[in-house]
Amino acid sequence: MGTKSLCLFIASALIAYYIYTPLPENFQDRWKLMLITAEFRTVGHLAGFVEWLGLMHYMEALMLITVVEYVPPTSDENVTVTDTEFSNVPVRLYLPRKQSSGLKRGMVYFHGGGWCVGGTGMKAYDLLSRKTADQLNAVVVSVDYRLAPKYHFPVQFEDAYSVTKFFLQSSVLSQYGVDPNRICVAGDSAGGNLAAAVAQQLLDDPEVKTKLKVQALLYPALQTLDLNLPSYQDNENKPILSKSLMIRFWSEYFTTDSSLREAMASNRHVPAESSHLFQFVNWSNLLPDELKKDHVYTSPVYGSSSLGKKYPGFLDPRAAPLLAEDAKLRGLPLTYVLTCEHDVLRDDGVMYVSRLREAGVQVVHSHAEDAFHGALLFVSSLGDLAVGHRLSNQYMKWLNDNL
Ligand SMILES: *[C@@H]1O[C@H](CO)[C@@H](O)[C@H](O)[C@H]1NC(C)=O
Ligand SMILES: *[C@@H]1O[C@H](CO)[C@@H](O)[C@H](O)[C@H]1NC(C)=O
């Protein structure tokens, strides 16, 4: 073998090694998914590298995915799309154009991206909102809330909340021809977190008269207390969202100070004064046996109280909706929760389903055995996967039957 072919052989072996990811048996489109995973991993490595060089914050570098995926607001024959502002927060608005008798449905949608990246203009989100507007005859308000690391909690939540509150005013609903009895909030991942938090806070707001008909939470992040749940352990390195990236997202939501991230990574960030909150995320009671598998529940290990004092946000139900009291949960509307088996956030969603049901809320829980975090978005530019189409169609059908 000549030197050239030896180099070629080594290079191909390294590339194959880099791209190859062991995937669960039941995943479809395996090679496509490996390429997608390698792409995301590469962006993560590059972001880590430029941060290490001191050129950019990690999240600013990750934001490049959002920038590359950007599409301008473009109307088509069925939906009018415009970028505008509601209550001084940028939103992308989707208005169905087809002739219909009667009022339309309404949806406020929050995109995912760990409170740090993502945007309404990402092709995958644009497509989802456009499809929702067209297929459900719904006015969709997709919210460009401000992001970390520039802005921290509660800014993201407050932007999400003020847009929703603005939209729910009866004068605004009638301006857009929306039926006040057929409105929902929805979101995926960090957006599911915002949707759940917004739905809870609306219950106590004396200024809001319109009630939500449903909330739809797609693999939502719902708590920061226990970052070592069985799903975090089982799915530490599954496609798209690793445990370490999720911890980075959580900590950046509150601060760029790395001491919170380090404490979260060792799951010793909650001060003993907050021990009463652990009952709300006690997976020993809240998870079904098939998800507990052979994991053994251990009591929480507490951290220093200074972190909790400096960044009280991570103990706030507006950031961690699973920490709400039962009395609060009781008022919530019909809820759709999608969870994916191979997702670090799986148990957040499953525990919320348990708590909502115990509080008497009607919940439809769709659990995808063959899916990973973010799967519902993979129907076009990010990657075109059968599982993405299936989950997205299921979600749309549920909304069509229930909203
Ligand atoms: C508009 O709606 C029609 C009828 O439902 C459909 O056939 C067509 O593909 C839609 N156009 C776009 C751009 O989605
Ligand atoms: C969690 O639940 C288990 C089983 O019911 C119980 O033994 C344990 O004390 C609970 N832990 C906390 C912190 O609530």
Side-chain angles (χ1 to χ4, degrees):
M1 216 191 289
T3 319
K4 254 191 199 161
S5 39
L6 183 67
C7 288
L8 193 65
F9 175 77
I10 293 174
S12 330
L14 284 176
I15 291 170
Y17 175 76
Y18 189 74
I19 291 176
Y20 181 78
T21 319
L23 293 177
E25 297 268 313
N26 59 355
F27 276 19
Q28 284 183 299
D29 298 319
R30 305 177 72 81
W31 275 105
K32 245 194 231 174
L33 183 53
M34 277 186 213
L35 285 171
I36 293 169
T37 309
E39 239 174 82
F40 274 76
R41 199 181 326 126
T42 306
V43 177
H45 287 163
L46 289 176
F49 185 59
V50 297
E51 181 174 61
W52 180 77
L53 290 176
L55 296 177
M56 245 190 234
H57 186 282
Y58 184 83
M59 292 303 170
E60 284 162 356
L62 270 200
M63 191 66 189
L64 291 175
I65 301 187
T66 308
V67 174
V68 168
E69 278 276 301
Y70 178 82
V71 290
T74 312
S75 303
D76 64 34
E77 72 223 65
N78 302 328
V79 186
T80 304
V81 184
T82 45
D83 280 350
T84 177
E85 282 188 355
F86 275 10
S87 184
N88 296 322
V89 178
V91 298
R92 188 169 281 195
L93 190 61
Y94 299 81
L95 305 175
R97 289 169 95 151
K98 285 181 191 152
Q99 284 302 327
S100 68
S101 54
L103 295 169
K104 299 176 179 69
R105 291 157 159 146
M107 171 188 279
V108 184
Y109 192 86
F110 307 108
H111 68 78
W115 311 276
C116 296
V117 297
T120 61
M122 273 179 84
K123 195 165 174 207
Y125 286 117
D126 185 69
L127 199 66
L128 182 64
S129 296
R130 190 180 291 274
K131 219 160 93 176
T132 310
D134 182 25
Q135 295 183 5
L136 301 180
N137 190 31
V139 170
V140 178
V141 183
S142 182
V143 185
D144 260 320
Y145 52 88
R146 284 170 289 173
L147 299 172
K150 195 159 179 206
Y151 301 98
H152 298 288
F153 176 82
V155 168
Q156 287 80 340
F157 167 79
E158 281 173 354
D159 283 355
Y161 194 71
S162 54
V163 166
T164 311
K165 204 165 154 173
F166 179 88
F167 184 59
L168 290 179
Q169 297 173 95
S170 51
S171 57
V172 176
L173 295 177
S174 64
Q175 181 190 339
Y176 292 106
V178 173
D179 184 344
N181 299 311
R182 298 178 84 182
I183 299 172
C184 75
V185 288
D188 62 300
S189 192
N193 166 279
L194 293 170
V198 164
Q200 287 183 3
Q201 297 306 310
L202 284 172
L203 298 173
D204 294 335
D205 192 328
E207 289 166 20
V208 181
K209 303 283 179 275
T210 315
K211 284 200 170 7
L212 296 176
K213 183 162 190 203
V214 307
Q215 59 173 341
L217 313 176
L218 309 172
Y219 31 80
L222 296 167
Q223 62 88 33
T224 55
L225 241 53
D226 189 348
L227 300 174
N228 204 33
L229 297 169
S231 58
Y232 272 97
Q233 296 178 42
D234 294 346
N235 304 309
E236 189 169 353
N237 287 306
K238 294 277 170 66
I240 309 306
L241 183 63
S242 65
K243 176 177 171 174
S244 63
L245 181 57
M246 190 60 225
I247 286 175
R248 181 98 203 226
F249 280 145
W250 266 128
S251 59
E252 290 291 345
Y253 191 15
F254 307 107
T255 174
T256 294
D257 169 2
S258 62
S259 63
L260 181 62
R261 175 167 26 120
E262 283 150 22
M264 282 179 162
S266 59
N267 210 30
R268 287 164 186 246
H269 51 296
V270 181
E273 301 91 275
S274 304
S275 62
H276 63 285
L277 294 175
F278 274 99
Q279 61 179 304
F280 299 133
V281 298
N282 188 337
W283 62 264
S284 147
N285 301 326
L286 296 168
L287 286 186
D289 288 339
E290 63 272 21
L291 295 183
K292 287 186 198 167
K293 296 190 199 123
D294 40 14
H295 295 286
V296 179
Y297 182 83
T298 52
S299 297
V301 182
Y302 299 108
S304 87
S305 56
S306 64
L307 277 180
K309 287 208 182 74
K310 251 162 118 180
Y311 311 114
F314 74 84
L315 302 165
D316 187 322
R318 292 173 304 160
L322 251 170
L323 303 184
E325 307 269 343
D326 289 343
K328 174 64 102 29
L329 300 184
R330 252 171 242 138
L332 288 169
L334 172 63
T335 301
Y336 179 83
V337 180
L338 169 66
T339 53
C340 299
E341 177 67 22
H342 303 278
D343 178 0
V344 287
L345 296 179
R346 176 195 71 197
D347 296 347
D348 281 24
V350 175
M351 292 198 297
Y352 203 42
V353 169
S354 300
R355 290 210 48 218
L356 290 172
R357 284 187 175 146
E358 276 167 26
V361 176
Q362 257 190 298
V363 184
V364 172
H365 180 197
S366 166
H367 182 67
E369 287 290 342
D370 58 347
F372 58 94
H373 189 78
L376 184 140
L377 286 183
F378 287 80
V379 295
S380 67
S381 60
L382 287 174
D384 192 358
L385 304 176
V387 66
H389 288 277
R390 195 185 83 227
L391 298 184
S392 152
N393 292 339
Q394 262 174 19
Y395 160 69
M396 216 58 88
K397 177 172 187 319
W398 186 85
L399 285 172
N400 199 31
D401 293 343
N402 292 283
L403 178 57

